[in-house]
């Protein structure tokens, strides 16, 4: 599960836009970037992910 401005959603739904999806930890400041959908994690995880449009994780970071 992820949170968007419109409320909770599944990562699969965010990927339907056909762009990369950045998954941020709760409380992180979202950053607007062209071609990237940004969502917030629904769990307590602290890792930021960049997910490719095909669903594979391209990058993961704890910073």
């Amino acid at each position: 599960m992820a949170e968007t401005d419109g409320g909770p959603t599944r990562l699969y739904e965010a990927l339907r836009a056909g762009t990369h999806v950045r998954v941020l930890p709760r409380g992180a400041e979202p950053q607007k970037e062209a071609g990237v959908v940004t969502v917030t994690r629904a769990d307590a995880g602290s890792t930021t992910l960049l997910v490719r449009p095909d669903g594979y994780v391209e990058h993961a970071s704890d910073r």
Side-chain angles (χ1 to χ4, degrees):
M1 280 299 246
E3 298 278 338
T4 63
D5 290 339
T9 188
R10 300 226 180 253
L11 179 58
Y12 175 79
E13 294 297 321
L15 287 167
R16 292 181 72 187
T19 64
H20 282 77
V21 176
R22 179 178 292 118
V23 183
L24 298 175
R26 287 188 170 275
E29 186 66 33
Q31 301 166 350
K32 301 274 184 178
E33 185 177 340
V36 178
V37 173
T38 301
V39 297
T40 304
R41 294 177 70 119
D43 63 6
S46 61
T47 303
T48 297
L49 304 171
L50 182 63
V51 183
R52 298 184 334 200
D54 61 4
Y56 285 92
V57 174
E58 181 173 316
H59 183 79
S61 175
D62 287 330
R63 289 198 250 158

